[in-house]
Amino acid sequence: MNMRTETLNWTFIQTFLTVAKTGSLTAAAQKLGLSQPTVGRHIKLTEKSLGVELFTRDVKGLTLTEAGVSLLEPANEMANASAKLSALASGREKQLSGTVRLTASVVVSHYLIPSIVATIRKKEPEIEIELLPSDTSENLIFREADIAIRMYRPTQLDIITKHLFDQPLALYATTSLLKKWGSPKNLEELVNLPFVGFDRSELIINVLCNLGCPVDRHYFGVRCDNQSAYWELVRAGCGVGAMQTSIGDKDQHVVKLEYQPELPTLPFWLAAPKALRTNMRIKRVWDLLIEELAKKFSEPAKDR
Protein backbone atom coordinates (compact mmCIF):
# COMPACT_ATOMS: atom_id res chain seq x y z
CA MET A 1 0.00 0.00 0.00
CA ASN A 2 1.47 3.33 -1.06
CA MET A 3 0.82 5.66 1.89
CA ARG A 4 1.32 9.36 1.26
CA THR A 5 -0.27 10.62 4.46
CA GLU A 6 1.71 13.83 4.58
CA THR A 7 -0.82 15.40 2.18
CA LEU A 8 -3.91 13.91 3.89
CA ASN A 9 -6.36 16.51 5.14
CA TRP A 10 -8.06 15.73 8.48
CA THR A 11 -11.38 16.90 7.03
CA PHE A 12 -11.10 14.12 4.45
CA ILE A 13 -10.79 11.53 7.23
CA GLN A 14 -14.03 12.83 8.75
CA THR A 15 -15.69 12.55 5.35
CA PHE A 16 -14.35 9.01 4.88
CA LEU A 17 -15.76 7.93 8.25
CA THR A 18 -19.15 9.50 7.55
CA VAL A 19 -19.44 7.86 4.12
CA ALA A 20 -18.39 4.54 5.65
CA LYS A 21 -21.07 4.94 8.32
CA THR A 22 -23.90 6.02 6.00
CA GLY A 23 -22.94 4.05 2.87
CA SER A 24 -23.98 6.97 0.69
CA LEU A 25 -22.47 10.21 -0.60
CA THR A 26 -25.87 11.90 -0.35
CA ALA A 27 -26.49 10.81 3.26
CA ALA A 28 -22.94 11.74 4.24
CA ALA A 29 -23.35 15.17 2.64
CA GLN A 30 -26.54 15.81 4.60
CA LYS A 31 -24.91 14.76 7.86
CA LEU A 32 -21.79 16.86 7.25
CA GLY A 33 -23.62 19.89 5.87
CA LEU A 34 -21.72 19.67 2.58
CA SER A 35 -22.73 19.21 -1.04
CA GLN A 36 -22.62 15.73 -2.58
CA PRO A 37 -19.93 16.75 -5.12
CA THR A 38 -17.76 18.06 -2.27
CA VAL A 39 -18.07 14.76 -0.40
CA GLY A 40 -17.22 12.86 -3.57
CA ARG A 41 -14.19 15.09 -4.14
CA HIS A 42 -13.02 14.48 -0.55
CA ILE A 43 -13.15 10.72 -1.11
CA LYS A 44 -11.25 10.95 -4.40
CA LEU A 45 -8.55 13.13 -2.84
CA THR A 46 -8.28 10.76 0.13
CA GLU A 47 -7.86 7.79 -2.21
CA LYS A 48 -5.26 9.72 -4.19
CA SER A 49 -3.39 10.68 -1.03
CA LEU A 50 -3.41 7.13 0.36
CA GLY A 51 -2.87 5.44 -2.97
CA VAL A 52 -5.76 2.99 -2.45
CA GLU A 53 -9.40 2.58 -3.44
CA LEU A 54 -11.62 2.98 -0.39
CA PHE A 55 -15.10 2.18 -1.70
CA THR A 56 -16.82 0.15 -4.38
CA ARG A 57 -20.30 1.00 -5.65
CA ASP A 58 -23.07 -1.63 -5.73
CA VAL A 59 -26.87 -1.71 -5.68
CA LYS A 60 -26.89 -0.97 -1.93
CA GLY A 61 -24.66 2.10 -2.26
CA LEU A 62 -21.00 2.44 -1.34
CA THR A 63 -19.21 -0.51 0.27
CA LEU A 64 -15.78 -0.41 1.86
CA THR A 65 -13.01 -2.18 0.01
CA GLU A 66 -10.57 -4.41 1.88
CA ALA A 67 -8.19 -1.45 2.11
CA GLY A 68 -11.02 0.78 3.33
CA VAL A 69 -11.90 -1.70 6.07
CA SER A 70 -8.27 -1.87 7.20
CA LEU A 71 -8.16 1.94 7.52
CA LEU A 72 -11.43 2.23 9.42
CA GLU A 73 -10.01 1.52 12.88
CA PRO A 74 -7.05 3.95 12.70
CA ALA A 75 -9.38 6.59 11.20
CA ASN A 76 -11.76 6.14 14.14
CA GLU A 77 -8.84 6.46 16.55
CA MET A 78 -7.90 9.75 14.90
CA ALA A 79 -11.50 10.94 15.16
CA ASN A 80 -11.67 10.03 18.85
CA ALA A 81 -8.40 11.82 19.58
CA SER A 82 -9.53 14.92 17.69
CA ALA A 83 -12.90 14.94 19.43
CA LYS A 84 -11.27 14.67 22.85
CA LEU A 85 -8.87 17.52 22.05
CA SER A 86 -11.77 19.68 20.91
CA ALA A 87 -13.81 18.79 23.99
CA LEU A 88 -10.92 19.54 26.34
CA ALA A 89 -10.35 22.89 24.66
CA SER A 90 -14.05 23.71 24.84
CA GLY A 91 -14.14 22.67 28.47
CA ARG A 92 -11.65 25.40 29.32
CA GLU A 93 -13.82 28.15 27.86
CA LYS A 94 -14.99 30.50 30.61
CA GLN A 95 -17.45 32.64 28.67
CA LEU A 96 -21.13 32.45 29.54
CA SER A 97 -21.95 32.95 25.87
CA GLY A 98 -21.87 30.97 22.67
CA THR A 99 -23.82 27.96 21.40
CA VAL A 100 -25.10 24.90 23.26
CA ARG A 101 -26.56 22.08 21.20
CA LEU A 102 -29.29 19.97 22.80
CA THR A 103 -30.77 16.71 21.59
CA ALA A 104 -33.91 15.04 22.87
CA SER A 105 -36.61 12.71 21.61
CA VAL A 106 -39.08 14.11 19.09
CA VAL A 107 -41.92 14.20 21.64
CA VAL A 108 -39.83 15.87 24.36
CA SER A 109 -38.45 18.35 21.80
CA HIS A 110 -41.94 19.28 20.59
CA TYR A 111 -43.96 19.35 23.81
CA LEU A 112 -41.57 19.99 26.73
CA ILE A 113 -38.37 21.67 25.56
CA PRO A 114 -39.61 24.82 23.72
CA SER A 115 -40.83 26.62 26.85
CA ILE A 116 -37.66 25.56 28.67
CA VAL A 117 -35.51 26.96 25.87
CA ALA A 118 -37.49 30.21 26.10
CA THR A 119 -36.71 30.37 29.84
CA ILE A 120 -33.01 29.65 29.25
CA ARG A 121 -32.84 32.40 26.63
CA LYS A 122 -34.59 34.82 28.99
CA LYS A 123 -32.13 34.07 31.80
CA GLU A 124 -29.03 33.78 29.59
CA PRO A 125 -29.59 35.80 26.39
CA GLU A 126 -25.95 35.43 25.33
CA ILE A 127 -26.26 31.64 25.12
CA GLU A 128 -27.55 30.41 21.77
CA ILE A 129 -29.49 27.14 21.75
CA GLU A 130 -29.58 24.59 18.95
CA LEU A 131 -32.22 21.87 19.36
CA LEU A 132 -31.93 18.53 17.59
CA PRO A 133 -35.18 16.51 17.87
CA SER A 134 -34.19 12.91 17.32
CA ASP A 135 -35.26 9.45 18.44
CA THR A 136 -31.82 8.09 17.54
CA SER A 137 -28.77 8.27 19.79
CA GLU A 138 -26.61 11.24 18.87
CA ASN A 139 -22.90 10.85 19.59
CA LEU A 140 -21.86 13.22 22.37
CA ILE A 141 -18.15 12.42 22.04
CA PHE A 142 -18.14 13.64 18.43
CA ARG A 143 -19.98 16.83 19.42
CA GLU A 144 -23.18 16.01 17.53
CA ALA A 145 -24.74 17.45 20.69
CA ASP A 146 -23.43 19.03 23.89
CA ILE A 147 -26.24 17.80 26.15
CA ALA A 148 -28.64 14.93 25.56
CA ILE A 149 -31.95 14.17 27.25
CA ARG A 150 -32.35 10.40 27.12
CA MET A 151 -35.14 7.97 28.01
CA TYR A 152 -32.52 5.43 29.05
CA ARG A 153 -29.22 5.44 30.93
CA PRO A 154 -26.38 6.39 28.54
CA THR A 155 -23.46 3.97 28.67
CA GLN A 156 -20.81 5.73 26.54
CA LEU A 157 -17.37 6.18 28.03
CA ASP A 158 -16.29 9.68 29.09
CA ILE A 159 -19.92 10.71 29.63
CA ILE A 160 -21.41 12.37 32.70
CA THR A 161 -24.99 11.29 33.40
CA LYS A 162 -27.69 12.33 35.84
CA HIS A 163 -30.94 10.50 36.47
CA LEU A 164 -33.67 13.10 36.90
CA PHE A 165 -36.84 11.06 37.51
CA ASP A 166 -39.04 8.31 36.13
CA GLN A 167 -41.95 9.62 34.10
CA PRO A 168 -45.28 7.70 34.26
CA LEU A 169 -47.18 6.86 31.08
CA ALA A 170 -50.98 6.84 30.80
CA LEU A 171 -53.65 6.20 28.18
CA TYR A 172 -55.60 9.09 26.69
CA ALA A 173 -58.42 9.62 24.21
CA THR A 174 -60.72 12.40 23.05
CA THR A 175 -64.06 12.86 24.79
CA SER A 176 -65.87 12.31 21.48
CA LEU A 177 -64.18 8.93 21.03
CA LEU A 178 -65.10 7.84 24.56
CA LYS A 179 -68.64 9.10 24.08
CA LYS A 180 -68.96 6.86 21.02
CA TRP A 181 -67.19 3.77 22.36
CA GLY A 182 -67.75 4.13 26.08
CA SER A 183 -65.25 4.62 28.88
CA PRO A 184 -63.63 1.25 29.66
CA LYS A 185 -63.87 -0.14 33.18
CA ASN A 186 -61.49 -3.07 32.69
CA LEU A 187 -58.89 -4.50 30.33
CA GLU A 188 -61.44 -6.44 28.28
CA GLU A 189 -63.43 -3.28 27.56
CA LEU A 190 -60.24 -1.32 26.93
CA VAL A 191 -58.96 -3.56 24.12
CA ASN A 192 -62.30 -3.20 22.31
CA LEU A 193 -61.58 0.49 21.76
CA PRO A 194 -59.71 1.70 18.66
CA PHE A 195 -56.02 2.38 19.29
CA VAL A 196 -53.37 4.38 17.48
CA GLY A 197 -50.29 2.19 17.12
CA PHE A 198 -46.72 2.35 15.90
CA ASP A 199 -45.86 1.24 12.38
CA ARG A 200 -42.51 -0.59 12.40
CA SER A 201 -41.92 -0.44 16.15
CA GLU A 202 -43.46 -3.31 18.12
CA LEU A 203 -43.30 -1.49 21.46
CA ILE A 204 -47.07 -1.06 21.92
CA ILE A 205 -47.73 -4.58 20.64
CA ASN A 206 -45.32 -5.96 23.24
CA VAL A 207 -46.92 -3.94 26.06
CA LEU A 208 -50.40 -5.23 25.15
CA CYS A 209 -49.12 -8.79 24.85
CA ASN A 210 -47.53 -8.51 28.30
CA LEU A 211 -50.93 -7.39 29.62
CA GLY A 212 -52.41 -10.61 28.26
CA CYS A 213 -53.83 -9.16 25.04
CA PRO A 214 -52.08 -10.80 22.08
CA VAL A 215 -52.44 -8.47 19.08
CA ASP A 216 -50.61 -7.81 15.84
CA ARG A 217 -50.05 -4.57 13.88
CA HIS A 218 -53.43 -4.91 12.14
CA TYR A 219 -55.13 -4.40 15.50
CA PHE A 220 -54.26 -0.71 15.06
CA GLY A 221 -56.39 1.00 12.41
CA VAL A 222 -53.94 3.93 12.38
CA ARG A 223 -50.17 3.48 12.71
CA CYS A 224 -47.28 5.97 12.86
CA ASP A 225 -43.70 5.73 14.15
CA ASN A 226 -43.13 9.48 14.48
CA GLN A 227 -44.18 10.02 18.07
CA SER A 228 -45.25 13.65 17.67
CA ALA A 229 -47.46 12.74 14.71
CA TYR A 230 -48.66 9.73 16.72
CA TRP A 231 -49.80 12.02 19.52
CA GLU A 232 -51.50 14.38 17.09
CA LEU A 233 -53.45 11.39 15.73
CA VAL A 234 -54.60 10.59 19.27
CA ARG A 235 -55.57 14.25 19.81
CA ALA A 236 -57.55 14.16 16.55
CA GLY A 237 -59.66 11.25 17.80
CA CYS A 238 -58.15 8.43 15.74
CA GLY A 239 -57.87 6.17 18.78
CA VAL A 240 -56.56 5.65 22.28
CA GLY A 241 -52.86 6.35 22.76
CA ALA A 242 -50.19 6.46 25.45
CA MET A 243 -48.28 9.58 26.46
CA GLN A 244 -46.11 10.87 29.28
CA THR A 245 -48.40 12.23 31.99
CA SER A 246 -46.47 15.53 32.08
CA ILE A 247 -47.72 16.09 28.51
CA GLY A 248 -51.03 14.25 28.39
CA ASP A 249 -52.43 15.56 31.68
CA LYS A 250 -52.05 19.14 30.49
CA ASP A 251 -53.47 18.59 26.99
CA GLN A 252 -56.91 20.15 26.60
CA HIS A 253 -57.76 17.96 23.57
CA VAL A 254 -57.75 14.64 25.44
CA VAL A 255 -58.75 13.08 28.75
CA LYS A 256 -57.00 10.39 30.74
CA LEU A 257 -58.90 7.13 30.77
CA GLU A 258 -60.33 6.24 34.18
CA TYR A 259 -59.17 2.66 33.81
CA GLN A 260 -55.40 2.49 33.47
CA PRO A 261 -53.49 -0.77 33.01
CA GLU A 262 -50.00 -1.01 34.48
CA LEU A 263 -47.70 0.69 31.99
CA PRO A 264 -43.91 1.02 32.07
CA THR A 265 -42.33 4.30 33.17
CA LEU A 266 -39.85 6.37 31.17
CA PRO A 267 -36.58 7.25 32.92
CA PHE A 268 -35.25 10.74 32.21
CA TRP A 269 -31.46 11.13 32.04
CA LEU A 270 -29.20 14.03 31.20
CA ALA A 271 -25.87 13.27 29.56
CA ALA A 272 -22.87 15.34 28.49
CA PRO A 273 -19.18 14.66 27.78
CA LYS A 274 -17.00 14.97 30.88
CA ALA A 275 -14.78 17.64 29.38
CA LEU A 276 -17.75 19.81 28.46
CA ARG A 277 -19.23 19.59 31.94
CA THR A 278 -16.64 22.17 33.03
CA ASN A 279 -17.60 24.54 30.23
CA MET A 280 -19.46 27.42 31.91
CA ARG A 281 -22.18 27.90 29.33
CA ILE A 282 -22.87 24.16 29.03
CA LYS A 283 -22.84 23.77 32.82
CA ARG A 284 -25.30 26.66 33.06
CA VAL A 285 -27.67 25.10 30.51
CA TRP A 286 -27.26 21.71 32.22
CA ASP A 287 -28.29 23.23 35.57
CA LEU A 288 -31.21 25.14 34.03
CA LEU A 289 -32.47 21.99 32.30
CA ILE A 290 -32.50 20.15 35.63
CA GLU A 291 -34.32 23.05 37.29
CA GLU A 292 -36.91 23.59 34.55
CA LEU A 293 -37.61 19.92 33.87
CA ALA A 294 -38.26 19.43 37.59
CA LYS A 295 -40.84 22.23 37.41
CA LYS A 296 -42.45 20.67 34.33
CA PHE A 297 -42.96 17.35 36.02
CA SER A 298 -44.30 18.86 39.23
CA GLU A 299 -46.85 21.17 37.58
CA PRO A 300 -50.44 20.10 38.21
CA ALA A 301 -52.75 19.55 35.24
CA LYS A 302 -54.91 22.51 34.28
CA ASP A 303 -58.66 22.40 34.82
CA ARG A 304 -60.65 21.55 31.70
Side-chain angles (χ1 to χ4, degrees):
M1 185 183 296
N2 182 18
M3 300 289 286
R4 296 188 292 275
T5 55
E6 71 278 4
T7 61
L8 187 60
N9 189 313
W10 161 238
T11 303
F12 299 167
I13 294 294
Q14 292 177 302
T15 302
F16 163 66
L17 287 171
T18 306
V19 174
K21 180 180 179 181
T22 61
S24 162
L25 294 179
T26 300
Q30 291 174 345
K31 195 168 185 65
L32 292 167
L34 302 172
S35 68
Q36 183 178 341
T38 298
V39 171
R41 186 166 61 251
H42 284 186
I43 295 301
K44 288 181 180 178
L45 289 171
T46 304
E47 291 177 330
K48 181 179 178 182
S49 176
L50 296 174
V52 296
E53 186 179 12
L54 298 173
F55 297 95
T56 58
R57 187 180 297 275
D58 55 30
V59 292
K60 295 182 179 179
L62 295 178
T63 303
L64 285 167
T65 62
E66 185 178 345
V69 171
S70 70
L71 292 172
L72 199 56
E73 183 177 351
N76 271 313
E77 290 174 355
M78 290 175 66
N80 281 324
S82 175
K84 287 182 178 179
L85 283 172
S86 177
L88 286 169
S90 295
R92 293 192 176 96
E93 292 180 12
K94 299 304 179 184
Q95 309 175 69
L96 205 59
S97 63
T99 301
V100 176
R101 186 170 176 83
L102 308 178
T103 184
S105 72
V106 171
V107 162
V108 169
S109 295
H110 282 202
Y111 298 107
L112 292 178
I113 292 298
S115 60
I116 293 177
V117 170
T119 299
I120 292 173
R121 289 281 298 153
K122 182 177 181 180
K123 292 184 176 181
E124 300 294 346
E126 296 302 314
I127 297 179
E128 301 166 14
I129 302 294
E130 294 177 349
L131 177 60
L132 175 60
S134 175
D135 290 326
T136 61
S137 296
E138 307 305 322
N139 194 319
L140 296 174
I141 292 297
F142 292 128
R143 299 296 303 277
E144 292 178 9
D146 297 315
I147 301 174
I149 302 173
R150 303 287 198 224
M151 304 298 141
Y152 57 88
R153 183 172 188 172
T155 57
Q156 284 179 279
L157 297 176
D158 298 323
I159 292 293
I160 288 176
T161 61
K162 182 176 179 62
H163 178 240
L164 301 182
F165 34 68
D166 292 322
Q167 172 64 16
L169 294 173
L171 296 179
Y172 300 87
T174 59
T175 53
S176 59
L177 184 142
L178 294 178
K179 184 177 180 180
K180 177 180 178 180
W181 291 85
S183 183
K185 301 296 188 297
N186 52 51
L187 185 61
E188 183 179 358
E189 292 180 1
L190 174 67
V191 296
N192 286 326
L193 269 62
F195 269 74
V196 179
F198 293 150
D199 183 14
R200 291 177 296 274
S201 170
E202 295 186 350
L203 178 61
I204 300 177
I205 291 175
N206 293 336
V207 170
L208 287 173
C209 287
N210 290 335
L211 290 172
C213 304
V215 300
D216 61 20
R217 69 192 307 272
H218 299 291
Y219 168 76
F220 307 99
V222 179
R223 300 182 290 269
C224 180
D225 279 333
N226 181 290
Q227 293 189 17
S228 286
Y230 164 90
W231 183 238
E232 292 302 320
L233 291 167
V234 174
R235 297 174 81 242
C238 293
V240 176
M243 180 49 67
Q244 302 166 34
T245 55
S246 60
I247 297 172
D249 286 357
K250 300 178 179 68
D251 197 315
Q252 303 295 314
H253 290 81
V254 295
V255 293
K256 184 190 292 185
L257 272 59
E258 290 184 17
Y259 170 76
Q260 292 287 335
E262 187 174 345
L263 299 178
T265 58
L266 286 178
F268 266 65
W269 289 81
L270 279 189
K274 286 183 179 179
L276 293 177
R277 188 64 175 89
T278 59
N279 177 298
M280 285 188 65
R281 67 174 181 274
I282 294 176
K283 185 178 185 304
R284 176 60 171 156
V285 173
W286 172 282
D287 291 339
L288 286 172
L289 282 171
I290 293 173
E291 178 183 330
E292 296 302 320
L293 281 169
K295 291 179 183 177
K296 281 283 184 186
F297 288 100
S298 63
E299 287 176 357
K302 296 178 181 178
D303 293 333
R304 306 197 176 172

